[in-house]
Amino acid sequence: MPVPRFFVDRPLACGALLQLPDAVAHHAWRVLRLAPGAPVTLFDGRGGEYEATLGDTRHAPVRVGSHRAVERESLLDLTLVQSLVATEKLDWIVEKATELGAARVLLLPAARSVVRLAGERLERRLAHLAGVARAACEQCGRNRVPAVQAVESFAAAAAAAPADAWRGVLAPEARGALAAGTRAAVVAVGPEGGFTPAELQAAQQAGFAVTGLGPRVLRTETAGLAALAALAALQGDLAPASPPASPPAPPAACSAAPPQDV
């Protein structure tokens, strides 16, 4: 059985004693029903992961062990610009975009979006989706959590991604194709009714190429994920991992210094 992985929203340190956040402790003890002293893996989003061991009870501190400098990030810097859609669809999109290696998911209001978010509602939704991304990282093995942010325009979306990224806005029956050989890409997806002609024009003014995904019309929750997967395949990111030229280095051992609470 794979060792359970948990994200901890605080800096981790080798040899530290850590009180697990309530939600993490509940998941470990009540949902997974892990035994006292069970091994777990912790990561804090700063890179790599840590071996750790549960205490004797739910409220006992966890001892953080060796650090493994392992990353499972995509070969591409991928940005998904997703128009606002219904909550269930948006959860699905963020979860799967995280699994596919997206570095960031940007939420864009669109003229045909049924959902409208602003102010506190938007902040709550962003916080919820950040939790969805963290949970997806726990499941898929990523140690860096993608950013989930709101943007107001295509220009703002372009500015949030690498300056040299290829940019495409998806539209049914468009003849443009996804870029091959790029190291960074931005894909914009419309809501259920698609982008309006005025929005497609605004996207082009911001440097986006109008791009298609074949002869079939894909749903909004399918199109962006299909594009991310296709871009990853074109770059070789979905190929089987090559064996290392030399055996990997063992995890960095903890120092002999007394453990510190974190």
Side-chain angles (χ1 to χ4, degrees):
M1 178 179 177
V3 175
R5 290 167 37 85
F6 300 106
F7 173 80
V8 177
D9 191 15
R10 66 190 68 172
L12 297 173
C14 192
L17 292 176
L18 170 71
Q19 193 70 44
L20 289 178
D22 289 342
V24 175
H26 173 80
H27 190 66
W29 288 93
R30 301 299 184 188
V31 178
L32 299 180
R33 297 186 179 277
L34 299 179
V40 296
T41 298
L42 303 179
F43 64 103
D44 58 11
R46 298 186 300 164
E49 58 193 23
Y50 291 82
E51 299 174 347
T53 305
L54 291 182
D56 295 333
T57 67
R58 174 179 174 178
H59 300 290
V62 168
R63 181 174 294 276
V64 182
S66 301
H67 179 260
R68 294 189 291 262
V70 59
E71 299 294 351
R72 303 179 184 93
E73 295 302 294
S74 173
L75 298 174
L76 295 86
D77 188 309
L78 292 170
T79 302
L80 176 62
V81 182
Q82 175 63 52
S83 297
L84 292 175
V85 294
T87 300
E88 296 80 5
K89 290 183 179 181
L90 203 51
D91 285 4
W92 166 269
I93 291 166
V94 170
E95 179 183 81
K96 301 311 173 187
T98 300
E99 292 178 19
L100 287 168
R104 62 196 64 82
V105 179
L106 307 178
L107 306 183
L108 177 70
R112 293 172 178 159
S113 290
V114 176
V115 175
R116 302 291 175 181
L117 294 175
E120 292 185 4
R121 285 192 64 208
L122 176 59
E123 294 303 319
R124 288 196 301 269
R125 186 64 56 84
L126 290 174
H128 168 76
L129 292 172
V132 171
R134 291 193 294 267
C137 285
E138 292 175 346
Q139 182 275 325
C140 74
R142 290 182 66 178
N143 290 322
R144 297 183 183 272
V145 182
V148 182
Q149 303 169 336
V151 293
E152 293 295 329
S153 65
F154 286 102
D164 60 347
W166 173 84
R167 305 167 195 160
V169 55
L170 300 183
E173 301 180 1
R175 294 188 177 183
L178 297 173
T182 182
R183 285 291 178 176
V186 184
V187 177
V189 184
E192 287 84 349
F195 287 123
T196 65
E199 287 172 325
L200 291 176
Q201 184 177 7
Q204 290 176 292
Q205 292 174 347
F208 286 77
V210 180
T211 305
L213 285 177
R216 293 165 299 281
V217 178
L218 303 182
R219 291 179 177 272
T220 181
E221 66 269 30
T222 306
L225 301 178
L228 294 183
L231 286 164
L234 288 170
Q235 190 62 30
D237 183 54
L238 300 184
S242 301
S246 57
C254 293
S255 65
Q260 298 179 348
D261 293 342
V262 295

